[in-house]
Amino acid sequence: MAEDKNIFKVEIVTPDRVFYTGDATFIEFNTTEGEIGVYKNHIPLTTVLAPGVVTITNGEDVKEAAVHAGFAQILGDRVRLMAEIAEWPDEIDERRAEEAKKRAQERINSKAAAIDMKRAEFALRRALVRIEIKH
């Protein structure tokens, strides 16, 4: 089989583990500026990750993971995501994610002065990403 010239390396690391290393022909993920899709030889870029689903495509093989905050480094022949948390769908407890969503929504809706609104909104986004990847 001829070597595919469109393949690049992907690495996703968290403080706890090397979450994923492998080849890809395309990767898609969320940044604070919006969604980005990357093919081999993308312009070099460092950006801030936003909570969301990462889709890694290698030909017909497609993998999805939930990633929560961090940084992305894009170089011509590799993409490295350095994430606070990365989870495969089978690592997520959907019931716990639903409960976290409910708690976060209650904190946001209470509008109490003691509530850290940014933290509550981030918790809600994290829960919604976990729920999204399970469906």
Side-chain angles (χ1 to χ4, degrees):
M1 182 172 130
E3 182 181 325
D4 189 336
K5 302 293 182 197
N6 297 318
I7 292 178
F8 58 94
K9 296 291 182 191
V10 171
E11 181 179 40
I12 302 173
V13 296
T14 71
D16 300 338
R17 63 184 169 159
V18 175
F19 177 76
Y20 175 80
T21 55
D23 293 334
T25 53
F26 182 70
I27 185 170
E28 191 172 20
F29 54 91
N30 292 328
T31 74
T32 56
E33 301 300 314
E35 195 169 0
I36 186 171
V38 178
Y39 291 102
K40 186 174 183 177
N41 296 322
H42 190 283
I43 61 168
L45 176 70
T46 300
T47 188
V48 179
L49 287 174
V53 175
V54 173
T55 305
I56 304 164
T57 304
N58 188 10
E60 298 296 315
D61 185 32
V62 177
K63 294 176 177 32
E64 289 186 325
V67 174
H68 310 282
F71 296 93
Q73 178 187 46
I74 302 168
L75 301 171
D77 63 346
R78 68 182 169 274
V79 174
R80 178 178 292 132
L81 304 183
M82 295 158 281
E84 178 184 311
I85 300 168
E87 303 166 299
W88 296 114
D90 63 353
E91 296 175 325
I92 296 170
D93 182 334
E94 191 171 4
R95 182 187 55 76
R96 287 185 65 206
E98 289 286 351
E99 290 170 359
K101 174 186 164 190
K102 183 179 176 184
R103 284 191 308 271
Q105 287 174 324
E106 288 171 356
R107 287 194 310 254
I108 290 167
N109 292 336
S110 77
K111 299 182 183 179
I115 298 295
D116 182 342
M117 200 57 72
K118 293 266 189 220
R119 186 173 173 192
E121 289 169 351
F122 188 76
L124 177 59
R125 283 195 303 269
R126 199 169 43 230
L128 290 172
V129 168
R130 287 176 169 144
I131 293 165
E132 176 186 349
I133 200 164
K134 290 296 283 185
H135 291 121

